[in-house]
Amino acid sequence: MLAYKFDWSVLWRQPYGEWLLSGIWLTIQLGLLAWVIALFLGIFLGTLRSSHWPWLKFLGSLYVEVFRNVPFLVQLFFWFYAGPMLFGKELQFKINAISGLNYYVAIIGLGLYTASRVAEHVRAGFASIGQGQFQAALSTGMTHLQMYWYVIIPYALRVIVPPLTTEFLTIFKNSSVAMTIGVAETTFVSYKIDNETFHGLEATTGAMLVYLVLGFCVVKLMGIVETKVRIPGLVSR
Amino acid sequence: MFDAVQRNLPFLLAGFLMNLQLAACALAGGIFLGMLVGLGRISKRRWIYGPVTAYVNVLRNIPLILVIFWFYFVMPILVGKTLHPFVSAAISFIVFEATYFGEIFRAGYQSISRDLVAAAYSTGLTYWQTARYIMIPIAFRRMLPSMITQSIITFQDTSLAYVIGLQEMVRRTTIVDSMEVRSIELYGFVAVMFFVFCFAGSRVSRYFEEKSRKANIL
Amino acid sequence: MIEIRNLSKWYGKFQVLSDINEVIKKGQTVVVCGPSGSGKSTLLRCINGLEPFQKGEILVDGVSVGDPKTNLYKLRQKIGMVFQRFELYPHMTVLKNITLAPMKVKKLSRKEAERKAMELLERVGIPEKANEYPANLSGGQQQRVAIARALAMEPEYMMFDEPTSALDPEMIQEVLEVMIDLAKEGMTMIVVTHEMGFAREVADEIIFMDGGKIVERGTGEEFFTNPKHPRTKEFLSQILK
């Protein structure tokens, strides 16, 4: 242990400092953009899962079970390597030629994966809403679609803010998997710094700090959202 | 059409076996360590509670890949030589998953009525005897569905050992793909393998959940 | 002999026991009664060191419970305790519940521990339930197993914390009978209970507690027919309806 000379400057020395900063920025981008996909798709899927039409329920469940039971890394590799091939021989080459393809695939893959988890939380949120709400809305003459859009979804979203916070945190952690397809985000950068300087210990410790700070910010942000959106009278935490 | 998979089946399946082995090690170590971590999290002594809580909170907020790398870089420094990727990965997993199992056990311990623990103490059992014969067995039974779910997650996480070059199934798939370039079949195959195992696992968890709900003994 | 001198305990700012003084001689049965929150349960748990206390002294056969050097594990082998909600270990059979401590603490062999356990089960009247799980027993049966479990450590003292309060009325008698037999055989017992019939039959002394203090002491019939303190009168009139 004593034979090792620590060199913490790898974290801010040029060009490593610059790498780290752009890596952090990529992590943030990946997380936020994938989160947008995950939210919209997840809410849609969660609603399918909770509907009373068997076919819709089945479709929603199928999606969730497939995306939950396959590791995210495998999903990402599938979309990146096998994905373009799904479009047939001609388009395949055009797609692979897109610069920054790995960036887009990472965001879409992360979004699709996280959507399955959001869907589960949305389903649980719906389940916790008493039958009475559904009946009350329908009895005023709303269609099912209107009921979901104006009453149930807004209600459920507020209830599930705490578990969604956990998912939001998780999405930033999972963004690190994008390094395996070459996206130069935070974890990739720490690996690259080790390759160049052999000071991987300091680099990864620095990267850990980045994620901890990021997580802290997310929790604080969602805490504010939760307070603003809290339904009076309901026990939330 | 699936001949690429068929040709390389033994090679790929050996990789899958490695995922299973890694998961087995991770679970054995992670669950055992998790039992202790859970106890630490409900300890009244601050010198135990503090460090254990810090450990849990830090590890649950950083990506697993980073933990894998961190150990891969740290171990040579501590031990003096580079470790085999399997060993390094196993250690990383044990340390990482113990935080999740620790929280599961903590919930289990907290569900045990204080008087039950008092009853054990009142017959003269020591803290460790009470933990070993009463608290851990009861917590384990109550939290079995959660533990199975977490085990499935751990199994999926073993795919991440890819990043330190471990010859598990995902890495082997990329090796085969670089030769055969039949990505759809190959990556589809590994996805299906994981899917079947994990889906079956979640059914098992559901079974235990139903069983304990109906029996409601514990 | 158990001696309690000037015992006081606080939970934060709230004083739950005030200046308790009491002596319990060998072979005596002491009944403690009083409204909920009067500190009766807390008093019991201070005696066997399950709860700490800030002021005063408790001596069990001369050993100070509050002394940090005291080996509480050894002390607890001397004092058996029975709880309101039985607290049998749900994941073990009746037999295992009883033999666990004797085997692990007293290092008895399995054969020896099980033999003694069956004797105790006979004594409390349910030897046929030895291999059942607690969930399959009625409340009264579970509490009798709990008594057997406490007796398995061959304690010199037995404490009961409202042993029949969680039982359906039909089952109270079977448990009380076991306790009465124990008292008549000479066990030193402290019983927190509202069962005044039990107190009348075997209590050598009855203590009424309220607000963390011992309000009144009495012996036998005297206590019931001629309570001196107004609060005692009030409490008794509600209990003895």
Side-chain angles (χ1 to χ4, degrees), chain A residues 18-136:
Chain A
E18 216 182 294
W19 289 357
L20 194 55
L21 280 176
S22 50
I24 297 173
W25 176 227
L26 265 177
T27 297
I28 295 176
Q29 282 178 62
L30 289 173
L32 287 178
L33 293 173
W35 183 239
V36 171
I37 297 176
L39 267 181
F40 280 100
L41 185 54
I43 292 172
F44 172 65
L45 289 165
T47 313
L48 286 185
R49 287 262 269 163
S50 308
S51 71
H52 55 267
W53 285 297
W55 269 113
L56 292 183
K57 240 195 186 143
F58 178 73
L59 280 172
S61 302
L62 187 66
Y63 183 99
V64 168
E65 287 299 331
V66 167
F67 281 82
R68 264 210 314 192
N69 285 306
V70 177
F72 177 51
L73 178 62
V74 176
Q75 292 181 28
L76 203 56
F77 277 0
F78 184 85
W79 296 127
F80 189 60
Y81 294 115
M85 292 183 179
L86 294 170
F87 291 89
K89 284 232 149 95
E90 280 189 35
L91 274 177
Q92 179 187 330
F93 292 107
K94 289 208 182 129
I95 294 175
N96 273 321
I98 299 175
S99 78
L101 178 67
N102 51 9
Y103 172 79
Y104 299 111
V105 171
I107 291 176
I108 295 173
L110 191 54
L112 291 177
Y113 172 71
T114 312
S116 71
R117 299 170 70 126
V118 171
E120 277 305 275
H121 294 306
V122 170
R123 184 179 66 85
F126 284 157
S128 74
I129 300 176
Q131 272 298 307
Q133 289 285 308
F134 291 86
Q135 290 166 353

Side-chain angles (χ1 to χ4, degrees), chain B residues 160-181:
Chain B
L160 292 177
Y162 165 91
V163 298
I164 51 175
L166 187 67
Q167 293 273 317
E168 47 72 61
M169 195 182 192
V170 180
R171 173 138 311 252
R172 291 189 184 209
T173 309
T174 56
I175 292 174
V176 172
D177 187 49
S178 65
M179 295 189 304
E180 307 261 8
V181 197

Side-chain angles (χ1 to χ4, degrees), chain A residues 1 4 65-66 68-69 71 73 77-78 81-82 85 173 176-177 179 191 194 200-201 204-205 208 211-212, chain B residues 60-63 65-66 69-70 73-74 77-78 100 156 159 162 170 174 183-184 187 191 194-195 198-199:
Chain A
M1 180 86 191
Y4 183 79
E65 287 299 331
V66 167
R68 264 210 314 192
N69 285 306
L73 178 62
F77 277 0
F78 184 85
Y81 294 115
M85 292 183 179
K173 288 193 283 176
S176 61
V177 182
M179 70 156 283
Y191 183 68
D194 173 73
L201 181 55
T204 44
T205 308
M208 282 184 184
Y211 285 102
L212 284 174
Chain B
R60 283 176 59 142
N61 277 302
I62 55 183
I65 292 189
L66 207 49
F69 276 147
W70 199 83
F73 297 137
V74 166
I77 297 173
L78 281 179
Y100 290 88
Q156 290 186 15
S159 59
Y162 165 91
V170 180
T174 56
S183 312
I184 299 179
Y187 288 109
F194 272 103
F195 178 81
C198 297
F199 186 72

